[in-house]
């Protein structure tokens, strides 16, 4: 959304969770949570699908293609949404590329 | 009457009140718990297990100075094994490379180190410990070298509010992933020094502008959390994310508190983890039920659309400033006492006072 993000628009970037950030399933609440230093995020279902693919191996292009396949959705639309989400998570220090 | 509480997200484990620092803004109570009354290792381990079962996802080891306890690594390892994400809230002055390595191996994820200034003279004077600032700088570097996440907690007040830009630069230089630029909140011991710490309105505005600019500039590199001084605010903070909604705090002697300063409120009954399991205390303890939800609220909260956003603000602040813990936090512009609080902030910010009162010492500054 804003310029100057830690995560650029490059489809070759390989996003991953920042050090000491965990994506884990909270059995007590029956939902995924993101746990970071003194912070907690409750990602919605879309964000969970993206975050689970941010493993440092898959490129942004790979992730987009995979999501477009899995949800039978328009690739460009997915690319826009994923890009915006990852920029936001990058600003929050949750994702690094 | 009582609202069903969702499980807490985090446990604040105040494992000791002992501390080598004597910060003039210390928000701990005037009377500290002695070592002889502290929960022992086994008791803390039981509390950590109960917290994890109850639904806590994180534990914040704090104090006092949590590293003053020799069993800290044991507690970190236990918390970690119970599935809790572990944070250490520390002054840093008692840490060294060996201890940090042990804590990292035990499963510690993150350390937050407080800084009283970027300048050694003011820093040591505010912290009441000579040599503290230099030690903190060294330890912050060790934290990053040990592979842990680092948060710089920059405590802001009248004597350093003009150096917020330098504080943020310090966090970058120390390779912190996050900085909390936190104006002093006046509780406990800190209330005694309020008139000597209160920033001016102009200082606050300058600091806020610096933070905004830095956020933009450091986007994606450094997370900047900002806490403004309540007395200058128009809307109260959602203290603890709402009383009995998100956090449970255990004090060194095992009392379960909805917030750090709740013991200042008269007539409260606090359960002790020595006597009662944590899930019962959370769900049905008198202290947690007292201000949970919205049923206790007076006007103007009752008819306010923000009642489940700020939850009436801070109970301890309402008590300190109005004499009534069940009043609307007077920081709120809708409170009948709001103007008096603003006038107080103005008067104290303009007061020349910079004579600090230190814990355990006569009135004079040590350095």
């Amino acid at each position: 959304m804003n310029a100057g993000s830690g995560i650029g628009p490059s489809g070759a970037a390989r996003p991953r969770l920042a050090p000491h950030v965990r994506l884990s399933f909270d059995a007590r609440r029956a939902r995924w949570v993101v746990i970071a230093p003194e912070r907690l995020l409750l990602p919605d279902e879309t964000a969970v699908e993206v975050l689970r693919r941010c493993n440092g191996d898959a490129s942004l292009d790979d992730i987009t293609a995979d999501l477009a396949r899995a949800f039978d959705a328009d690739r460009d639309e997915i690319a826009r949404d994923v890009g915006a989400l990852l920029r936001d998570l990058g600003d929050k220090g949750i994702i690094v590329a | 009457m009582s609202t069903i509480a969702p499980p807490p997200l985090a446990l604040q484990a105040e494992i000791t009140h002992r501390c080598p620092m004597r910060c003039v803004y210390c928000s701990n109570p005037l009377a500290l718990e002695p070592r002889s009354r502290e929960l022992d290792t086994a008791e803390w381990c039981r509390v950590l297990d109960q917290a994890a079962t109850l639904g806590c996802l994180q534990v914040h080891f704090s104090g006092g100075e949590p590293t003053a306890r020799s069993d800290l690594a044991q507690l970190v390892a236990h918390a970690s094994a119970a599935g809790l994400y572990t944070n250490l809230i520390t002054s840093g002055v008692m840490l060294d490379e060996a201890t940090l390595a042990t804590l990292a191996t035990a499963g510690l994820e993150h350390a937050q180190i407080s800084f009283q200034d970027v300048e050694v003279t003011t820093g040591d004077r505010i912290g009441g410990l000579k040599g503290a600032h230099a030690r903190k700088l060294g330890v912050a570097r060790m934290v990053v070298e040990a592979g842990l996440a680092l948060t710089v907690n920059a405590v802001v007040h009248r004597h350093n509010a003009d150096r917020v830009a330098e504080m943020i630069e310090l966090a970058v230089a120390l390779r912190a992933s996050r900085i909390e630029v936190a104006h002093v909140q006046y509780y406990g011991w800190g209330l005694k020094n309020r008139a000597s710490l209160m920033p001016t309105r102009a200082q606050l505005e300058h600091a806020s502008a610096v933070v905004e600019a830095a956020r933009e500039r450091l986007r994606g590199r450094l997370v900047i959390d900002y806490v403004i001084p309540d007395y200058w605010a128009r809307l109260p903070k959602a203290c603890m994310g709402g009383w009995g909604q998100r956090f449970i705090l255990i004090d060194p002697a095992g009392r379960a508190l909805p917030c750090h300063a709740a013991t200042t409120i008269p007539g409260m009954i606090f359960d002790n983890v020595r006597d009662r399991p944590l899930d019962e205390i959370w769900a049905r303890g008198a202290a947690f039920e007292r201000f949970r939800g919205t049923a206790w609220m007076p006007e103007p909260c009752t008819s306010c659309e923000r009642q489940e956003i700020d939850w009436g603000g801070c109970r301890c602040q309402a008590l300190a400033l109005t004499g009534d813990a069940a009043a609307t936090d007077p920081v709120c512009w809708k409170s009948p006492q709001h103007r008096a609080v603003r006038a107080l902030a103005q008067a104290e910010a303009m007061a020349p006072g910079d004579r600090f009162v230190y814990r355990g010492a006569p009135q004079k500054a040590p350095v």
Side-chain angles (χ1 to χ4, degrees):
Chain A
M1 285 162 272
N2 284 294
S5 162
I7 297 196
S10 163
R14 298 178 193 280
R16 62 181 193 280
L17 291 175
H20 301 288
V21 174
R22 282 189 209 161
L23 172 69
S24 57
F25 189 76
D26 174 9
R28 181 80 171 67
R29 293 174 183 82
R31 64 166 304 155
W32 288 88
V33 292
V34 175
I35 312 179
E38 291 181 82
R39 284 177 304 154
L40 191 73
L41 265 66
L42 303 176
D44 62 21
E45 283 173 35
T46 313
V48 170
E49 291 300 331
V50 176
L51 282 163
R52 289 175 71 176
R53 288 167 170 79
C54 293
N55 55 17
D57 290 329
S59 69
L60 190 51
D61 285 340
D62 295 339
I63 293 171
T64 304
D66 190 31
L67 285 167
R69 251 194 322 273
F71 294 94
D72 194 19
D74 178 64
R75 207 179 169 289
D76 290 343
E77 203 172 307
I78 294 267
R80 266 194 308 276
D81 291 351
V82 171
L85 177 71
L86 291 185
R87 269 192 298 278
D88 180 48
L89 291 171
D91 292 350
K92 290 180 174 147
I94 300 298
I95 288 283
V96 290
Chain B
M1 204 178 50
S2 66
T3 319
I4 302 286
L9 296 169
L11 167 72
Q12 179 119 355
E14 284 193 349
I15 56 178
T16 183
H17 272 162
R18 288 174 281 141
C19 184
M21 305 276 302
R22 291 180 299 151
C23 300
V24 294
Y25 57 75
C26 180
S27 59
N28 271 337
L30 300 184
L32 300 178
E33 294 293 349
R35 183 180 200 150
S36 58
R37 282 168 51 96
E38 289 177 4
L39 296 182
D40 64 22
T41 310
E43 287 172 318
W44 273 116
C45 288
R46 199 181 69 227
V47 170
L48 292 164
D49 288 337
Q50 290 180 352
T53 307
L54 178 57
C56 287
L57 298 169
Q58 301 214 13
V59 57
H60 309 287
F61 288 104
S62 76
E65 177 45 59
T67 60
R69 275 188 70 129
S70 56
D71 59 355
L72 177 61
Q74 219 178 322
L75 299 180
V76 167
H78 195 91
S80 219
L84 293 165
Y85 184 102
T86 55
N87 302 277
L88 177 65
I89 316 296
T90 179
S91 70
V93 297
M94 297 176 80
L95 280 166
D96 55 32
E97 272 166 358
T99 312
L100 277 167
T102 311
L103 289 170
T105 307
L108 185 68
E109 303 271 2
H110 161 246
Q112 181 205 101
I113 298 184
S114 60
F115 282 87
Q116 285 66 41
D117 203 336
V118 286
E119 281 188 354
V120 61
T121 316
T122 326
D124 286 359
R125 179 161 172 257
I126 298 289
L129 181 67
K130 202 157 192 165
H133 184 72
R135 277 203 67 83
K136 284 161 182 266
L137 290 173
V139 169
R141 291 187 184 101
M142 290 176 208
V143 165
V144 174
E145 274 156 28
L148 301 171
L150 171 69
T151 291
V152 165
N153 178 12
V155 186
V156 181
H157 42 76
R158 179 159 84 230
H159 306 272
N160 66 13
D162 303 326
R163 288 190 285 276
V164 167
E166 289 88 338
M167 293 175 198
I168 293 169
E169 284 319 305
L170 175 66
V172 172
L174 292 172
R175 291 190 286 151
S177 52
R178 177 168 166 261
I179 181 171
E180 272 184 37
V181 178
H183 283 269
V184 169
Q185 308 278 317
Y186 303 101
Y187 300 103
W189 191 268
L191 261 176
K192 281 181 183 285
N193 288 307
R194 190 178 64 194
S196 302
L197 291 166
M198 186 71 72
T200 65
R201 181 68 183 263
Q203 282 185 309
L204 168 63
E205 280 167 10
H206 172 72
S208 303
V210 167
V211 166
E212 270 319 303
R215 273 184 174 154
E216 204 51 47
R217 188 167 46 84
L218 298 169
R219 190 176 285 278
R221 287 175 57 202
L222 179 71
V223 176
I224 306 180
D225 286 336
Y226 185 49
V227 179
I228 72 158
D230 278 344
Y231 288 47
W232 285 117
R234 288 188 79 246
L235 294 170
K237 62 179 179 279
C239 198
M240 306 305 284
W243 184 277
Q245 303 274 353
R246 292 170 175 223
F247 296 99
I248 187 162
L249 186 146
I250 309 297
D251 86 354
R255 286 187 298 181
L257 312 176
C259 89
H260 184 66
T263 53
T264 57
I265 301 175
M268 297 284 291
I269 300 159
F270 299 106
D271 288 297
N272 194 300
V273 293
R274 285 179 166 132
D275 310 322
R276 208 176 174 192
L278 210 55
D279 58 346
E280 267 185 39
I281 296 177
W282 175 257
R284 293 189 289 282
F288 286 87
E289 289 200 318
R290 177 69 184 87
F291 297 115
R292 180 179 277 147
T294 55
W296 62 273
M297 287 180 177
E299 280 292 6
C301 299
T302 319
S303 58
C304 182
E305 70 286 359
R306 292 182 56 87
Q307 61 176 229
E308 291 194 3
I309 297 171
D310 59 36
W311 301 99
C314 173
R315 300 301 86 229
C316 306
Q317 191 148 270
L319 173 75
L321 294 172
T322 74
D324 177 8
T328 296
D329 188 336
V331 161
C332 181
W333 67 276
K334 291 184 180 177
S335 158
Q337 282 98 346
H338 177 74
R339 288 165 69 99
V341 170
R342 184 56 67 91
L344 186 150
Q346 253 150 11
E348 292 192 344
M350 294 305 167
D354 63 349
R355 289 167 57 90
F356 297 127
V357 189
Y358 289 86
R359 278 193 196 272
Q363 315 282 313
K364 288 179 75 178
V367 287

